[in-house]
Amino acid sequence: MFPFYLSHLCQAPYFTPGALGFHRSPHPISILSRKLMSTATTRSNISLPPPESDIPIFTTVASYREWRRKAFIENRSVGFVPTMGALHEGHLGLGVYIYFIHLNHLLIYIDPSSLILRRSLSENDLTVLSIFVNPAQFAPHEDLETYPRTLERDLKVLAEQQVVASNSDMSSNSIPTLDSNQVKRPSAVFLPSVREMYPGGIEQEIVKQRGTFVEVTAYGEQMEGKSRPGFFRGVATVVTKLFNVIQPTNAYFGQKDIQQALLLRHMVTDLLLSHPSPDHLHIVPTARDPSDNLALSSRNAYLSPAGRKVAPTLYAALKAAEECWLAGEGDEGGKNKNKKECVEIARALVERRIEEARDHGLDVEITLDYIEMNDAGTFEILDDSDTRSSRGNEAAPVILSGAMWVDRTRLIDNLLLGDFGTVVR
Ligand code: AMP
């Protein structure tokens, strides 16, 4: 049964189907945009009409803005979850439910801190999710063409998402009472074409790009930025555009892409953005496969069965480095291991797993890209001699991150060491 709250909203002018670019069914605008496309003729900019969905779909900036204007007028908060689609439980949320009995009723309480879409649903009146495979963040040799696109399934899965949210502040871990609960579902999907997001067209090669781009200097040059030059320029540019359009009260990003999320917090601060403000850009813990802790990712779909078997190696390596970093008393007596030793332990674990895979005759190639430790505040690489105790208790947490190729699939993962409550919130 559709709850009153939602049926009320569906009758509200937020969902006026006549709006330009609003879809419950195919709309000629996206076909028109295909004809207009002049540069970067990739699979991603061929925008076919979106499949039908119970959730309103906005394919144009103008139609979304009309919807958002009404939410502003009615003072409704808007949560935003940007994605590239191919949705998985990392986007939606692993069913982390806590069941308990309260006043003789079985209540299901969803821990909102561990789920990305669900957290937005819990904390906002309305939730918008965008699906846009952003050409500007793929280098010409990368997987833009083959990036998984599962739009029909994504919309179907999204329509099934709901949380029973308490009217009280969910983030305060308050226990909902039966009559204060309400069911919340995604309110809208923003599904723009490449032309809509890049009116002047977009080239993948940076030297050929013309127009306005956003670069977060220094923060974008370590870790992932070192391995993928231009990646964060593409991310910062598209997220600035998305924030300009969506005007979210709160935005939610995954710890899985920790550098991206922290860099965006810097960007929001530096550009004096208000929607979201830096305090309202939230980072949600990484969702993992409960069987082996592999970080969930759209790119996991590329893995062969043998590749899937060895993929958790990266997490295991990071855990080994974490254990090394945390070992010892942590006093000034120098009992802690230093960064160099811990990274070497992680690398050695990867080497061992490569040998084991070979011994078991697994047809898979594993190549470590990097394992690194960076300061979560400055992104600076830690000195080889740094230890937990030498950094002191006041220091920012450490990002222990890595990237590893499994055949032609690049996997990334990270752990936060130290007091990370200021980062993941
Ligand atoms: P993507 O579609 O890969 O660009 O991801 C969209 C958002 O979901 C980003 O903020 C990611 O960090 C987040 N995300 C992706 N995978 C996970 C995961 N396993 N756990 C938590 N967040 C994730």
Side-chain angles (χ1 to χ4, degrees):
M1 186 60 193
F2 221 43
F4 166 76
Y5 173 74
L6 274 169
S7 55
H8 165 73
L9 268 187
C10 285
Q11 288 157 12
Y14 293 109
F15 302 118
T16 311
L20 192 68
F22 169 95
H23 288 272
R24 281 202 199 283
S25 56
H27 194 286
I29 254 221
S30 34
I31 296 168
L32 181 66
S33 67
R34 181 168 31 163
K35 290 188 189 144
L36 287 173
M37 196 53 58
S38 59
T39 53
T41 48
T42 62
R43 222 180 109 208
S44 65
N45 65 16
I46 298 173
S47 40
L48 298 172
E52 293 215 10
S53 169
D54 286 342
I55 305 172
I57 299 171
F58 295 96
T59 57
T60 65
V61 171
S63 61
Y64 173 81
R65 284 202 166 130
E66 184 62 17
W67 182 89
R68 182 65 180 100
R69 198 178 59 81
K70 286 166 185 147
F72 267 127
I73 289 169
E74 295 191 10
N75 205 19
R76 289 184 185 272
S77 57
V78 171
F80 178 42
V81 179
T83 81
M84 297 208 296
L87 301 181
H88 50 74
E89 286 297 328
H91 298 112
L92 305 168
L94 285 170
V96 182
Y97 304 126
I98 301 169
Y99 295 87
F100 59 89
I101 306 284
H102 180 62
L103 300 177
N104 288 333
H105 292 282
L106 177 67
L107 294 183
I108 304 171
Y109 176 57
I110 298 165
D111 175 1
S113 65
S114 58
L115 315 164
I116 190 160
L117 176 72
R118 286 166 185 267
R119 179 140 166 222
S120 175
L121 291 171
S122 302
E123 294 180 353
N124 298 277
D125 298 324
L126 303 166
T127 287
V128 179
L129 182 137
S130 65
I131 299 179
F132 181 66
V133 182
N134 173 33
Q137 70 191 66
F138 289 79
H141 65 276
E142 291 183 337
D143 57 344
L144 174 62
E145 289 293 324
T146 55
Y147 192 83
R149 290 165 172 85
T150 57
L151 183 57
E152 210 159 316
R153 189 189 148 275
D154 290 350
L155 295 175
K156 189 166 170 287
V157 172
L158 268 180
E160 290 161 3
Q161 300 303 307
Q162 62 175 46
V163 298
V164 181
S166 161
N167 279 331
S168 57
D169 179 10
M170 293 293 288
S171 58
S172 66
N173 286 342
S174 52
I175 297 173
T177 61
L178 274 185
D179 43 8
S180 68
N181 289 342
Q182 59 179 218
V183 175
K184 290 186 179 175
R185 294 179 181 180
S187 318
V189 175
F190 184 56
L191 186 67
S193 65
V194 175
R195 168 63 71 183
E196 195 70 14
M197 293 301 286
Y198 294 94
I202 180 72
E203 294 282 352
Q204 275 179 271
E205 267 182 79
I206 289 183
V207 288
K208 291 190 186 161
Q209 288 174 349
R210 296 284 174 276
T212 307
F213 293 85
V214 179
E215 215 155 340
V216 186
T217 56
Y219 294 108
E221 286 150 25
Q222 307 287 0
M223 300 178 267
E224 282 301 278
K226 207 183 236 168
S227 290
R228 302 180 69 188
F231 170 69
F232 286 118
R233 180 181 192 260
V235 169
T237 300
V238 81
V239 174
T240 302
K241 287 166 182 265
L242 286 168
F243 284 171
N244 273 338
V245 178
I246 304 296
Q247 295 284 300
T249 319
N250 291 290
Y252 298 85
F253 292 85
Q255 185 196 327
K256 156 108 182 337
D257 302 282
I258 187 67
Q259 187 180 7
Q260 163 178 291
L262 288 172
L263 176 138
L264 292 173
R265 239 186 223 157
H266 282 292
M267 183 189 83
V268 162
T269 308
D270 293 346
L271 296 182
L272 312 177
L273 297 192
S274 60
H275 287 78
S277 68
D279 283 348
H280 289 87
L281 193 155
H282 305 284
I283 303 178
V284 180
T286 304
R288 301 178 178 281
D289 186 319
S291 67
D292 57 12
N293 287 312
L294 175 66
L296 300 177
S297 163
S298 305
R299 287 191 169 98
N300 292 354
Y302 295 148
L303 295 169
S304 67
R308 176 63 188 79
K309 247 187 208 152
V310 300
T313 298
L314 179 57
Y315 176 77
L318 295 176
K319 284 304 276 186
E322 178 191 47
E323 197 180 322
C324 163
W325 182 256
L326 298 179
E329 298 301 314
D331 55 22
E332 295 300 320
K335 288 178 191 162
N336 291 154
K337 291 230 167 36
N338 65 31
K339 174 205 138 180
K340 187 160 184 256
E341 292 168 303
C342 295
V343 169
E344 269 166 15
I345 282 172
R347 287 179 175 280
L349 185 141
V350 176
E351 286 306 317
R352 274 202 310 283
R353 293 283 170 95
I354 292 173
E355 278 168 29
E356 280 166 23
R358 207 177 297 132
D359 292 349
H360 286 89
L362 287 182
D363 181 18
V364 64
E365 196 176 329
I366 305 171
T367 314
L368 187 63
D369 182 347
Y370 69 88
I371 299 234
E372 197 43 277
M373 293 171 87
N374 299 65
D375 183 288
T378 62
F379 287 16
E380 289 300 321
I381 298 176
L382 265 54
D383 288 339
D384 280 352
S385 59
D386 275 346
T387 66
R388 181 161 60 103
S389 51
S390 76
R391 283 179 57 80
N393 289 335
E394 301 303 312
V398 170
I399 303 173
L400 167 60
S401 65
M404 185 182 87
W405 289 92
V406 175
D407 295 324
R408 299 183 64 186
T409 306
R410 189 168 179 279
L411 304 174
I412 59 170
D413 203 347
N414 69 83
L415 299 172
L416 287 169
L417 314 179
D419 178 13
F420 54 80
T422 51
V423 175
V424 179
R425 57 177 160 82

